[in-house]
Amino acid sequence: MTSLPEKVRNWIGTPVVTLAPVMTVDQGLWLNFCVAVEDGNPLYWSRAGDTEGSEPIAPPAMLPSWMIDHEWSPEPDHVPLRTLEMHFMLKDELDLPFGVVTAVDLEFHEPVRAGDRLRAEQILLEVGDEYQTRMGPGRRWSIAVHYYHQNDTLAGIQTLHFVSYRKEEQQS
Amino acid sequence: MTDAAPRPAAGDKLPELAISITRKKIIMGATSSRDWQPIHHDGEWARERAGLPDIIMNNYTQAGWLSQYLTRWGGPQARIARMRFSMRSPLCPGDEALLCGEVDSVTAIGDFDWVEISLSIKVGERVATTASARLALPGAEQQSSPWALSGDAWRP
């Protein structure tokens, strides 16, 4: 068993990474996703104003996509945020440069609609003891991402479970 | 499932859905979900840097396929509350995938049926992904949509 650095222990259970909105939710963007997965659900395809009191909603599975930073920006100093910064911070801090997602939990709350601007918080839930993976020393960890609407209602929670490791020849 | 369809029951099997996984499908899914990781669009990078057989379908796209599979069965008023999936082996171009599902339980609460479903994505005998989902369906009266639920009434 390898103890966890104090810095990492202090990350557990608190929103260490908070993300401001990166874009405005747009039906044209989510219809590209519907095409990719051949999803003809009329709740996603209906046009705004077609049915009074029933605006189209974004596919729930796209929830995390709305918080992925633009790969390029007209701002010359723009450096895209890493998609799951908390995960990269852990990999760096624990010297475990390779990580794979083993399971994903998605919990959906208030639907997302065109014009919404979401924000997110990344929370480290747990970090397991170091153990020997097939590739080398590694650890398991879980990170929850809470997505909020502009009025602070919860849009959903994504929890990602990882195994991260370093290859034997890369041990420092 | 339509208004006239029988209500779901434990043990019901969802109709299987076959997907021919192509390079185009994987890249369309990755780019439309705004996932720019090279393992989802760059075959050489996937093989030589990540040790994968080829580009692989990203987790957002898998969630999208599972979601459309569930609502294709449950109808557009079916509202997915929760989904969990484990990716056990990659989905690559050329794979002939089969989505399967079975109802584990149905619980009537108020005007709605809350349904727990087990799912899998298989390629031949290989299980690529296992999943479970909880969704709400209009109940026996078929008069209320789960999409109207909010606050404490929505129980993901």
Side-chain angles (χ1 to χ4, degrees):
Chain A
M1 177 174 156
T2 308
S3 65
L4 209 54
E6 184 178 358
K7 182 176 181 180
V8 174
R9 283 204 308 272
N10 289 337
W11 287 343
I12 294 173
T14 59
V16 173
V17 178
T18 60
L19 299 172
V22 297
M23 66 185 307
T24 302
V25 175
D26 175 85
Q27 188 180 28
L29 287 174
W30 82 57
L31 289 183
N32 285 333
F33 184 72
C34 293
V35 170
V37 298
E38 300 174 10
D39 194 338
N41 191 323
L43 295 181
Y44 313 148
W45 285 85
S46 66
R47 290 184 301 180
D50 272 1
T51 308
E52 191 176 344
S54 178
E55 296 299 304
I57 62 166
M62 272 193 82
L63 179 64
S65 301
W66 305 117
M67 290 306 306
I68 297 176
D69 199 4
H70 296 298
E71 191 73 1
W72 177 89
S73 163
E75 298 294 330
D77 297 332
H78 174 76
V79 178
L81 295 170
R82 294 185 290 189
T83 298
L84 197 59
E85 179 66 25
M86 184 80 252
H87 174 59
F88 288 102
M89 288 166 63
L90 274 169
K91 291 205 302 185
D92 292 345
E93 197 63 33
L94 298 173
D95 189 24
L96 299 171
F98 298 95
V100 293
V101 178
T102 57
V104 180
D105 291 296
L106 290 166
E107 188 178 298
F108 303 114
H109 289 261
E110 186 67 24
V112 175
R113 293 186 164 85
D116 284 344
R117 289 179 63 79
L118 304 182
R119 64 178 179 84
E121 295 176 349
Q122 298 175 5
I123 301 169
L124 176 61
L125 298 179
E126 58 186 351
V127 181
D129 293 335
E130 190 165 300
Y131 72 107
Q132 192 68 19
T133 74
R134 281 183 300 174
M135 304 296 286
R139 289 181 189 263
R140 296 181 182 274
W141 58 68
S142 300
I143 297 170
V145 187
H146 293 220
Y147 298 89
Y148 294 96
H149 287 274
Q150 52 274 28
N151 64 0
D152 290 335
T153 57
L154 183 64
I157 303 170
Q158 173 198 35
T159 305
L160 297 121
H161 306 274
F162 293 92
V163 172
S164 292
Y165 58 91
R166 80 180 73 89
K167 293 179 181 173
E168 294 288 5
E169 64 271 23
Q170 291 182 328
Q171 289 185 62
S172 53
Chain B
M1 197 164 68
T2 66
D3 287 356
R7 293 172 68 195
D12 285 356
K13 291 202 166 24
L14 280 62
E16 294 176 345
L17 174 65
I19 311 168
S20 294
I21 297 185
T22 62
R23 191 168 302 278
K24 182 178 177 180
K25 278 195 174 80
I26 291 171
I27 294 173
M28 283 173 68
T31 54
S32 62
S33 60
R34 313 186 67 249
D35 184 344
W36 317 115
Q37 296 296 317
I39 55 173
H40 307 307
H41 64 257
D42 185 338
E44 188 177 329
W45 200 100
R47 286 186 292 274
E48 294 180 6
R49 299 280 298 276
L52 294 164
D54 203 332
I55 61 170
I56 62 171
M57 183 178 283
N58 71 342
N59 78 74
Y60 306 134
T61 306
Q62 293 203 34
W65 277 107
L66 291 167
S67 174
Q68 81 96 310
Y69 180 58
L70 288 166
T71 56
R72 176 188 290 233
W73 169 79
Q77 293 307 319
R79 182 175 175 186
I80 299 170
R82 195 175 65 229
M83 188 188 298
R84 179 188 177 93
F85 56 100
S86 302
M87 294 165 290
R88 298 167 60 173
S89 63
L91 291 167
C92 295
D95 283 346
E96 295 293 332
L98 194 66
L99 273 68
C100 310
E102 181 173 342
V103 174
D104 293 325
S105 67
V106 181
T107 306
I109 302 175
D111 292 336
F112 306 100
D113 287 333
W114 291 81
V115 185
E116 304 278 347
I117 296 177
S118 294
L119 303 151
S120 63
I121 304 176
K122 296 178 184 171
V123 177
E125 294 301 308
R126 172 169 66 91
V127 177
T129 298
T130 56
S132 61
R134 171 175 170 81
L135 65 162
L137 298 174
E141 298 300 322
Q142 297 282 322
Q143 289 181 344
S144 303
S145 169
W147 288 100
L149 293 173
S150 62
D152 291 341
W154 179 242
R155 305 175 184 188

